[in-house]
Amino acid sequence: MRLLHTSDWHLGRAFHRVGMLGAQAEFIGHLVDTVREHQVDAVVVSGDVYDRAVPPLAAVELFDDALHRLAALGVPTVMISGNHDSARRLGVGAGLIGRAGIHLRTEPSACATPVVLSDAHGDVAFYGLPYLEPALVKDEFGVPKAGHEAVLAAAMDRVRADLATRPPGTRSVVLAHAFVTGGEASDSERDITVGGVAAVPAGVFDGVDYAALGHLHGCQTITERVRYSGSPLPYSFSEAGHRKTMWLVDLGAGGSIAAERVDCPVPRPLARIRGRLEDLLADPALARHEEAWVEATLTDPVRPAEPMARLTERFPHTLSLVFEPERSPEDPDVSYARRLAGRSDQQIAEDFVAHVRGAGPDEHEQAVLREAFDAVRADDAVREVAR
């Protein structure tokens, strides 16, 4: 059975204020063409269909168009909600839409109810695990403490229990939206840290033939059977080195896996350039970036006059301008943003405590801070569901 694995469409999202709806529509067309040209048997979409819980109308219309075009191909599609989606909104009409071959899986309680498809080698059971917000689903899965590994492991226990009741030789595919250990993050994913931990081990997916993951925006292979498709479009300059693709996966008899990447259309390349303004404007080696979306980091000791206007004369698609003057890290004028770069909310809060009283928080106080951040995250998730 040939699968096309994609995720993280983020319909409705902009890239540094540049609307991406046209590029997203081009991707949907490319997806449909790929299904047809490569004779795909099933499409799997592993969450973050939309960029936010209440998407703009144009994004909903594009999603509606995608559903109609996929249904018209007669190729089954299995789709889950991600942490950016409103699971309840995405799941509206799932029963009716399912009759057209588009199977939406947004309810945690239904994670062990598969979509069963067949080929010449027998049945393939597709299990859709929507994004599992630990604070909201821990009671559903009977875990004593909210945590990503605990709830995902409990969900997978249900999957394996159902799979054990299936005819011998039934192959299995799991769709999940999570941060798996070994994956490489970018700047455009929303933080899902709970209790100081965001990642879960790849071993939670043991026992299934293929785990089609979403959440991380870079296409990557965790193990032969556990893979991220990544987002089809870039949503931050940290993705400048990404090759945006989908996975074309052949699931053979006995669960053998053969996978290859299918490139997605690139609306415009990304470039990150760094140096003094005059050097950037004069360097002939940068000519290849003149039509790219550009993030320019200026290292001039003193901020130059009209830097954006001067940059856009050579690089007309400059979208981001960062100032990092050439100073030593000990210089008191090093920017606040630079000092916070790469630090989590928890670490920033602990640094603040140390700054105010001269000593950092002890273990008990660290736990209190973690609980506070987790409570805010859970409350945000509840509010998104209720909106």
Side-chain angles (χ1 to χ4, degrees), residues 184-261:
E184 183 178 345
S186 61
D187 293 342
S188 52
E189 299 106 3
R190 182 182 295 171
D191 180 35
I192 60 171
T193 301
V194 173
V197 178
V200 300
V204 298
F205 298 106
D206 286 351
V208 298
D209 294 306
Y210 185 70
L213 301 182
H215 180 58
L216 299 184
H217 288 182
C219 181
Q220 48 203 297
T221 300
I222 306 301
T223 71
E224 180 192 16
R225 298 185 181 277
V226 180
R227 299 172 188 259
Y228 283 98
S229 66
S231 61
L233 293 165
Y235 294 113
S236 72
F237 276 102
S238 65
E239 300 167 57
H242 288 186
R243 174 187 164 200
K244 295 300 184 182
T245 61
M246 301 177 283
W247 281 113
L248 194 64
V249 179
D250 287 325
L251 182 59
S256 63
I257 293 287
E260 64 175 290
R261 296 170 71 177

Side-chain angles (χ1 to χ4, degrees), residues 63-82:
F63 178 60
D64 180 64
D65 178 62
L67 294 184
H68 278 84
R69 295 174 73 177
L70 287 168
L73 291 174
V75 175
T77 298
V78 185
M79 186 177 296
I80 62 172
S81 50

Side-chain angles (χ1 to χ4, degrees), residues 35-238:
V35 171
R36 185 185 300 111
E37 292 169 11
H38 289 271
Q39 298 181 317
V40 169
D41 298 306
V43 177
V44 294
V45 186
S46 300
D48 282 354
V49 174
Y50 291 121
D51 188 56
R52 56 181 187 265
V54 185
L57 179 59
V60 178
E61 290 173 340
L62 179 55
F63 178 60
D64 180 64
D65 178 62
L67 294 184
H68 278 84
R69 295 174 73 177
L70 287 168
L73 291 174
V75 175
T77 298
V78 185
M79 186 177 296
I80 62 172
S81 50
N83 62 302
H84 280 250
D85 299 309
S86 166
R88 291 176 63 183
R89 282 187 172 81
L90 188 64
V92 168
L96 186 61
I97 295 171
R99 297 181 187 178
I102 309 294
H103 305 279
L104 299 174
R105 291 293 184 263
T106 62
E107 290 291 335
S109 60
C111 66
T113 304
V115 176
V116 180
L117 305 176
S118 300
D119 66 4
H121 304 295
D123 290 347
V124 180
F126 290 79
Y127 297 91
L129 277 57
Y131 172 67
L132 302 175
E133 176 61 50
L136 302 184
V137 302
K138 67 182 183 68
D139 293 337
E140 164 66 32
F141 291 105
V143 298
K145 187 176 180 181
H148 288 291
E149 183 175 355
V151 297
L152 194 54
M156 283 302 301
D157 284 344
R158 292 188 184 183
V159 167
R160 284 184 284 264
D162 179 83
L163 190 57
T165 69
R166 302 281 161 182
T170 298
R171 288 156 293 158
S172 54
V173 175
V174 165
L175 289 74
H177 197 86
F179 190 163
V180 175
T181 302
E184 183 178 345
S186 61
D187 293 342
S188 52
E189 299 106 3
R190 182 182 295 171
D191 180 35
I192 60 171
T193 301
V194 173
V197 178
V200 300
V204 298
F205 298 106
D206 286 351
V208 298
D209 294 306
Y210 185 70
L213 301 182
H215 180 58
L216 299 184
H217 288 182
C219 181
Q220 48 203 297
T221 300
I222 306 301
T223 71
E224 180 192 16
R225 298 185 181 277
V226 180
R227 299 172 188 259
Y228 283 98
S229 66
S231 61
L233 293 165
Y235 294 113
S236 72
F237 276 102
S238 65

Side-chain angles (χ1 to χ4, degrees), residues 13-30:
R13 187 165 184 162
F15 180 74
H16 288 267
R17 301 176 302 282
V18 173
M20 296 290 278
L21 206 64
Q24 290 169 339
E26 185 178 357
F27 161 70
I28 295 298
H30 171 70

